[in-house]
Amino acid sequence: MYIKSIKLTNFKSFMGEHIIHFKPGVNYLVGNNAGKTTIFDAFNFMISTVKKSDYISKGYESESVSVEICLANVGELKGSLAKYEDYRTSKNELILLKTSKETNIKQGNKKS
C-alpha cells in the first residue's frame, strides 16, 4: 500500500483544488515554500479534531476546506482496518476524505 495522491481544497496556501501525485517507493519533497509542511499538516488535519480556521486559505473563510488521500495497492485489511473494507474502490484503492463541508457521499462499495 502506498499514498497515490493527496487532494487539497482551500487548504492553507493551496487555494482552490490541488492534487499532489506520488509514485510507489521513495518520493522527495524539496524547495523553499514548496508546501512540504503543508503535506504533513494535511495528515494532521485528517487524524485530529481541529478547527477549520486553522487550515483554511486566507480569503476563502466562507468556503470549505478538505483533504482527500488516495491509497493504492491496498492489500487485505485486517484488524482495526477491516472496517474500511466497504470503502475500497474497484481499482483496489482506498479513498479517505475529511472536509469541513456537510456532505453525503458514496465511496467504494459502501451501501447508503
Side-chain angles (χ1 to χ4, degrees):
M1 179 181 339
Y2 73 97
I3 298 171
K4 180 178 177 182
S5 64
I6 299 175
K7 180 167 51 171
L8 305 173
T9 305
N10 300 324
F11 192 84
K12 296 191 87 173
S13 62
F14 289 86
M15 293 172 266
E17 182 179 290
H18 297 272
I19 301 174
I20 302 163
H21 297 278
F22 297 94
K23 297 191 181 295
V26 178
N27 290 263
Y28 295 94
L29 302 169
V30 296
N32 291 329
N33 296 318
K36 299 178 297 292
T37 302
T38 301
I39 300 299
F40 292 103
D41 286 342
F43 287 106
N44 185 50
F45 177 79
M46 292 290 289
I47 64 173
S48 64
T49 55
V50 294
K51 296 179 288 185
K52 169 185 162 182
S53 60
D54 293 338
Y55 292 97
I56 191 76
S57 300
K58 288 185 180 179
Y60 285 72
E61 291 84 2
S62 64
E63 303 289 329
S64 64
V65 61
S66 68
V67 173
E68 180 179 297
I69 297 177
C70 178
L71 303 172
N73 295 344
V74 177
E76 183 180 356
L77 297 172
K78 298 179 181 178
S80 62
L81 295 177
K83 64 185 175 187
Y84 297 107
E85 185 62 41
D86 287 338
Y87 295 98
R88 183 191 306 261
T89 69
S90 60
K91 296 179 184 177
N92 204 30
E93 296 174 341
L94 189 62
I95 299 173
L96 308 171
L97 170 68
K98 182 171 181 181
T99 180
S100 64
K101 181 180 179 182
E102 188 173 321
T103 183
N104 291 320
I105 59 172
K106 180 179 180 207
Q107 289 184 321
N109 299 315
K110 184 72 177 173
K111 306 291 187 262
S112 299

